[in-house]
Structures are given as structure tokens and as C-alpha cells.
Amino acid sequence: MKLYEYEGKLLFSKVGIKIPRGIVTEGNIDWKGKAVVKAQLLEGGRGKRGLVKVTDDVNSTIQEMRKLGINKFLVEEYIPHDREVYLSMILDRDSAEPMLIASPHGGIDIESSGNVKKFIIPIERGPRGYDIIEIEKYLGVKGLSQVIQGLYKIFTEFDAELVEINPLAVTDNGVIALDSKVILEDNALYKHQDFLKEIGREYSPDSYVELDGDIGIIGNGAGLTMATMDMVKLMGGNPADFMDVGGGADRERVRYCVIKVGSNPKVKKILVNIYGGITRCDEVALGIVEAYDVIKKPIFVRLVGTNEEEGWKILKEHGINFYENPIDAVRDALR
């Protein structure tokens, strides 16, 4: 999920990265003094297209941009500064570790800058003082500790694919993030529903389709989930949904999916069919148990694969029916 600039800056403020004072608006506002008006679009190159403007007449600038079909704007105080630098954090695919990318030259032409350096920050330790000193020396800027720690925190705790500040303004009062670009991992959005609600977005997994029946269906993988639906139908039942938890689902994802399916008032029983490869059966079992405490509906679980015995033990301890054979699970669910 791509975040709008103002949404990314909200994350920045949560982790202590300084941002300009600003207002999000769809129309005219009461603003006195110099400001920067920025069209809020989920795409880059706004500066080159005239969609970021420094102005003394905010409302006239907004009206000009509205003629181009823009309907949401971020109006911020103008920040005088002498230097701009670039900082971002992504995943280094070779080492599978967070990687901070830095350049002493920020702004709209960063793509053409050859002066870029990469710093690997191992996830088992996070940014240390010596990392920050090395980055500050390279950029020739002091006081970056909060920014670097903040980028790392967003990247790891919010499951980001990219966290970018371009530019980071260097001022007499420290550094200020003048822009944000944040992309969150779609498959991890279920972990961050409080933040999504805060910015007015709703998480709804693409893998969930509600149907007319009363047997909740959950599987891992589209093929296995559809096969489970077919078994239910062939044996005289009626599926209430299609829900694929996906590969490698952890307890939080499983818990979310079971509660989502179980919250449908038409669902009388829930059938879970998991074949664990990269998906660990003990994690699945823990997620089911946590969800069961919430929904209090009968759950029938076919669970085989990685750590299956640990998963069976967890389910047995909580009185949840489990099976090795999916046909047995379907038969009991339809009784």
C-alpha cells in the first residue's frame, strides 16, 4: 500500500522525525504567510509537473491545481534551508537485512545523482551509534540519530517496503523532512489496522469473498481453499465464504482471518484446511485458539505439515476438533 505524503508524515511524527507544520485540505483555508501547496497523489514527480508550489496566495494556488483534477492538498509552512540530503530505507535482497541509502544531494534529481552510499543495518541489532556517526560523516550533517532510528522503526515495525525522505532539509534548527514516500507491505496490513483507521483507510484482504452459505471456509492457498469449498458442496453443505490466509501465515494473520469469517452472522461453523509447508502448524493453531476465544463458534481444523504435532497439541488442549484427513473434517462440520 502506497501512502500519501501526509500519511507518511503522520508516521514520521510518531517516530520523532521532525516535519513542517501543515494542514490537509480539499478546498480554501485560512492561511497567512508563505506556504508550500502540494497536490496529494500516489505518484512521483509532482515537483516536475508543477504540483508542488511555493506561494504567498494559498487559496489561488489550490484553485489552479483543482482545475487539473486534484482534490486533496497538503499545505505546509515554508522552511528556509541551505542544504538538502536524501535518506531512505529498503530491504537489501542479497543480505535480507534493512539497508539505509544516503546521498548528500537530495531533491527532484536524486535519480541522476551518482553520489549515493548504502549502509546495511542488521535487523538483530538495529542502528547503533557508530552507524549514525558514519552516515553523518558521509553526508556532512550532524543530528541524524532521531531520523535514522525513526526510519528503521517504521521499516521494521510497520512492515514497510520503502521509507524515503527526499528531501531532508538541513536548517539552523536541525533537520526537517520536507517530503515522505512510504510503501507498506500489503500482506502485513492486517497488523496495522489501528493506523489504517487513523488515516481513514480500511483493511480488507483481497482473499476474502462472502457467499450465501453457513459454513465458514478458510484455507492456505487458493487451490486448497477452492477444493475445500467443493468438498463442502459435494457433501451437502453450503460455503459461506472464500478465505485464503496465504503462504507463511503467522498467528496474527490466522487470528484475523478466523475472526473475519466467524463474525459473519450467517456462519454457524468454521472449517479450516491447512497444509503447512512454509506455514507452521503451531502458529496456525495459536491463531485459531486466540480467535476461538473471541467468536465462540465451532471450528473444525484439518492441520498437517510443518510442526503438525505441536499444532495438534495446542488445539487439543483447547478442545478444538482437529483432523489429518480433510474429508473427516468436512463430514463432522456438516453434522
Side-chain angles (χ1 to χ4, degrees):
M1 174 187 280
K2 291 182 178 179
L3 299 186
Y4 289 99
E5 177 187 356
Y6 71 91
E7 295 170 337
K9 283 181 171 174
L10 176 59
L11 273 185
F12 286 178
S13 66
K14 288 179 180 294
V15 298
I17 297 175
K18 190 175 179 180
I19 59 174
R21 175 178 59 90
I23 297 174
V24 179
T25 181
E26 295 183 2
N28 291 350
I29 60 173
D30 182 16
W31 186 285
K32 294 181 174 57
K34 199 171 190 179
V36 184
V37 177
K38 302 181 176 185
Q40 294 300 284
L41 301 172
L42 294 175
E43 53 192 74
R46 291 175 299 163
K48 294 179 179 179
R49 296 165 52 194
L51 299 179
V52 176
K53 292 186 176 181
V54 178
T55 179
D56 290 311
D57 190 341
V58 167
N59 291 326
S60 293
T61 303
I62 288 175
Q63 294 309 315
E64 287 178 17
M65 290 189 185
R66 288 184 67 87
K67 294 176 183 178
L68 302 175
I70 311 300
N71 55 28
K72 184 170 289 188
F73 309 88
L74 174 61
V75 180
E76 291 184 330
E77 62 179 324
Y78 175 74
I79 304 294
H81 57 281
D82 298 322
R83 279 195 64 198
E84 296 179 347
V85 299
Y86 173 93
L87 284 174
S88 70
M89 188 159 284
I90 63 172
L91 181 70
D92 176 51
R93 300 199 178 276
D94 291 333
S95 64
E97 300 283 8
M99 177 171 65
L100 187 137
I101 301 175
S103 173
H105 307 293
I108 61 176
D109 294 319
I110 184 63
E111 295 85 357
S112 60
S113 173
N115 197 358
V116 175
K117 192 170 182 179
K118 302 174 182 178
F119 302 84
I120 302 297
I121 301 179
I123 198 163
E124 66 270 13
R125 65 169 175 80
R128 298 290 178 86
Y130 49 81
D131 296 312
I132 295 167
I133 290 171
E134 185 180 3
I135 295 166
E136 289 179 341
K137 283 183 177 179
Y138 171 69
L139 295 177
V141 178
K142 291 186 178 294
L144 295 181
S145 178
Q146 192 67 53
V147 174
I148 294 169
Q149 295 282 1
L151 289 175
Y152 181 84
K153 186 170 185 177
I154 293 172
F155 185 78
T156 55
E157 295 186 10
F158 284 84
D159 299 284
E161 295 179 358
L162 169 69
V163 189
E164 178 183 88
I165 304 175
N166 184 33
L168 180 69
V170 182
T171 77
D172 294 337
N173 296 316
V175 292
I176 302 177
L178 298 189
D179 197 3
S180 79
K181 184 175 182 180
V182 179
I183 303 176
L184 303 181
E185 167 58 50
D186 289 335
N187 292 327
L189 291 176
Y190 67 94
K191 299 180 184 179
H192 310 296
Q193 293 180 69
D194 288 343
F195 174 68
L196 294 181
K197 289 178 182 177
E198 188 175 356
I199 61 176
R201 299 221 209 175
E202 182 177 351
Y203 170 66
S204 178
D206 294 334
S207 59
Y208 178 75
V209 179
E210 190 169 313
L211 302 172
D212 294 327
D214 59 3
I215 303 297
I217 307 293
I218 298 172
N220 64 322
L224 182 61
T225 307
M226 292 180 69
T228 307
M229 295 171 65
D230 289 343
M231 283 191 287
V232 168
K233 197 71 176 177
L234 289 170
M235 295 173 69
N238 200 2
D241 65 85
F242 171 97
M243 171 65 91
D244 174 12
V245 302
D250 60 13
R251 75 179 73 180
E252 292 182 44
R253 170 67 174 167
V254 173
R255 178 183 184 276
Y256 171 83
C257 290
V258 175
I259 292 175
K260 176 75 174 180
V261 170
S263 297
N264 181 347
K266 294 185 296 183
V267 170
K268 296 178 180 178
K269 300 176 182 178
I270 298 173
L271 177 62
V272 181
N273 191 359
I274 300 293
Y275 186 87
I278 59 173
T279 301
R280 289 172 42 190
C281 292
D282 55 332
E283 280 285 298
V284 171
L286 288 168
I288 292 172
V289 166
E290 291 175 7
Y292 180 68
D293 290 339
V294 176
I295 61 170
K296 303 295 185 182
K297 292 183 178 181
I299 302 177
F300 302 82
V301 186
R302 184 268 185 145
L303 187 63
V304 294
T306 305
N307 293 353
E308 59 184 29
E309 292 185 0
E310 291 90 333
W312 298 341
K313 181 179 179 182
I314 293 167
L315 294 175
K316 184 177 181 179
E317 289 173 349
H318 290 82
I320 297 174
N321 301 295
F322 64 92
Y323 309 81
E324 293 184 64
N325 188 324
I327 294 177
D328 293 337
V330 175
R331 183 180 294 114
D332 281 2
L334 297 183
R335 284 178 179 171

